[in-house]
Amino acid sequence: EKTNLALLYDRYKDRFITFPKEKGWMTEDLYMYQGFWHQSKNVVSVETVMATQDSFKAHPSDVYLATLPKSGTTWLKALAFAIVNRNRYKNKPPSTHPLQNSNPHNCLPFVETEVLRTNPTYDNAHTPRLYATHMPYTSLPQSILDSSCRLVYMCRNPKDVFVSLFHFANSLRGQSRDLMTFEEGFDMFCKGVIPNGPYWDHVNGYYKVSLEQPTRILFLTYEDMKMDTRNNVKLLAKFLGCPFTEEEEGKGVVEEVVSLCGFENLSEVNKHGSLSIGIPNHAFFREGKVGDWRNHLTIEMGQNLDQITKEKFHSWDLLL
Ligand code: A3P
């Protein structure tokens, strides 16, 4: 019997196999759809994006957490989940919290995976519904674009995103395929050929809308979140509609969320086991630092990437 993913692949493949194609980072090829590269045969892929566009219905109270892979998706999922559900777990033993027992990816789904489910993730009573997505802004389903639902975008320095992606991709390639060389990966990144990329177009898409509609899109950076986690978590909670009360602040609830979702804790919880799709939990936790690119890129590579970023982000005051 075919899996839902295989059925979707069959349904959409006649359309996307004609699209421009490039060699992928992990296992499958990348296809260019609506100006962006997407994997195939994956839970977040060209076929699940197309199916999501065809059938997904947004609710006005939904919140979407949008990122490029390796920009802090796992961290943002954990933070949003911990913030929104804090009262549900406050009187229970801390060790029973879902984030102490499971990967953040199991706690908060990608909207792209809803089309693969027999039953939707959220019952109607759960408000707000929280979804992550890697979709570029312009490819979001019309029902999201037309609704008043809010979005959080987390962006990360492209040099660190590249280094993170390179290590992630090679760790997943395993023995099935030759490892990618650093130079090969760098060229592909600079050409924009990464899952859900080009990097700059993805960031620009959300950044532009966040300037036009600041109450609709909260634009965060991984670097700010690292530098001042506490204040960014408070900002996120307010945006998600559940600000910390004075009483909570006094009791140290903000700090509890910060340390529950911190790299040290989550990397320890996720040392073993794997997601249902087979990716080991620890693959999502490598260094968790700002500026690790300095340990990997040559000076020239760093300058080249900075030059591209300057050209692409010219008029915007993005801290990169
Ligand atoms: P590095 O490879 O630089 O360490 P994503 O979740 O979008 O796949 O991004 C993964 C990156 O976020 C990895 O970066 C990972 O280590 C880092 N990361 C994961 N959880 C984190 C956390 N709780 N705090 C900070 N960084 C985290």
Side-chain angles (χ1 to χ4, degrees):
E1 203 181 318
K2 287 199 165 180
T3 62
N4 286 349
L5 186 57
L7 290 171
L8 277 192
Y9 181 86
D10 289 346
R11 190 184 318 156
Y12 289 97
K13 74 167 185 297
D14 288 348
R15 280 178 64 194
F16 70 74
I17 53 171
T18 63
F19 297 164
K21 190 168 97 172
E22 285 276 358
K23 213 165 66 168
W25 286 67
M26 279 70 123
T27 49
E28 298 295 329
D29 290 329
L30 293 170
Y31 292 90
M32 164 75 80
Y33 175 56
Q34 298 181 331
F36 290 84
W37 295 103
H38 293 273
Q39 303 188 77
S40 63
K41 297 187 178 169
N42 199 299
V43 289
V44 174
S45 58
V46 62
E47 61 269 32
T48 59
V49 168
M50 291 172 120
T52 305
Q53 291 175 336
D54 282 348
S55 64
F56 185 75
K57 294 277 168 287
H59 291 182
S61 58
D62 290 348
V63 182
Y64 297 89
L65 313 175
T67 53
L68 266 174
K70 305 301 122 198
S71 299
T73 318
T74 315
W75 193 14
L76 186 60
K77 280 188 174 193
L79 289 169
F81 181 87
I83 290 169
V84 166
N85 293 297
R86 65 187 185 272
N87 286 331
R88 197 189 283 194
Y89 300 108
K90 78 173 173 191
N91 294 323
K92 304 203 172 120
S95 62
T96 62
H97 194 286
L99 290 168
Q100 294 290 23
N101 296 284
S102 186
N103 192 310
H105 288 287
N106 295 327
C107 301
L108 202 159
F110 282 105
V111 68
E112 292 91 325
T113 63
E114 274 320 84
V115 290
L116 300 171
R117 289 179 205 277
T118 322
N119 297 309
T121 302
Y122 295 113
D123 53 44
N124 289 331
H126 193 288
T127 311
R129 301 189 309 177
L130 286 179
Y131 289 106
T133 184
H134 286 323
M135 275 187 260
Y137 186 80
T138 43
S139 290
L140 288 173
Q142 202 57 40
S143 77
I144 297 183
L145 296 174
D146 289 345
S147 79
S148 53
C149 54
R150 279 158 312 140
L151 297 106
V152 179
Y153 189 78
M154 191 187 268
C155 135
R156 188 181 188 193
N157 182 313
K159 299 192 288 277
D160 282 336
V161 171
F162 162 64
V163 168
S164 185
L165 180 63
F166 175 78
H167 286 102
F168 184 76
N170 265 351
S171 78
L172 297 191
R173 282 189 173 206
Q175 282 121 24
S176 62
R177 212 169 134 184
D178 289 345
L179 294 186
M180 176 186 253
T181 68
F182 197 66
E183 289 69 25
E184 193 187 345
F186 185 75
D187 281 349
M188 284 166 68
F189 191 93
C190 290
K191 281 195 282 177
V193 186
I194 58 165
N196 309 91
Y199 169 92
W200 303 275
D201 303 37
H202 199 278
V203 175
N204 268 336
Y206 283 94
Y207 189 61
K208 224 167 76 182
V209 188
S210 80
L211 293 182
E212 291 159 7
Q213 304 179 49
T215 53
R216 182 147 175 266
I217 301 195
L218 176 66
F219 196 90
L220 301 172
T221 71
Y222 182 93
E223 290 72 24
D224 280 351
M225 188 58 94
K226 268 306 247 198
M227 200 161 50
D228 187 356
T229 315
R230 195 174 178 280
N231 275 316
N232 276 280
V233 163
K234 281 167 62 178
L235 199 67
L236 180 60
K238 204 168 154 203
F239 186 82
L240 293 174
C242 38
F244 291 97
T245 61
E246 261 179 44
E247 192 193 345
E248 283 180 310
E249 287 205 34
K251 281 189 184 157
V253 178
V254 184
E255 285 74 14
E256 278 172 25
V257 168
V258 171
S259 68
L260 172 65
C261 302
F263 183 85
E264 272 181 26
N265 183 52
L266 291 188
S267 57
E268 189 60 36
V269 172
N270 288 280
K271 249 184 178 162
H272 307 289
S274 53
L275 295 180
S276 60
I277 51 171
I279 303 181
N281 288 328
H282 64 75
F284 295 94
F285 306 89
R286 194 182 59 91
E287 293 278 332
K289 291 186 184 135
V290 172
D292 184 46
W293 62 268
R294 289 193 179 83
N295 301 318
H296 300 275
L297 293 180
T298 63
I299 292 177
E300 198 192 348
M301 282 171 150
Q303 286 170 345
N304 285 348
L305 206 40
D306 282 347
Q307 188 55 38
I308 301 175
T309 304
K310 267 188 211 140
E311 280 162 23
K312 304 271 187 186
F313 287 167
H314 51 94
S315 57
W316 289 317
D317 182 25
L318 275 178
L319 192 151
L320 290 168

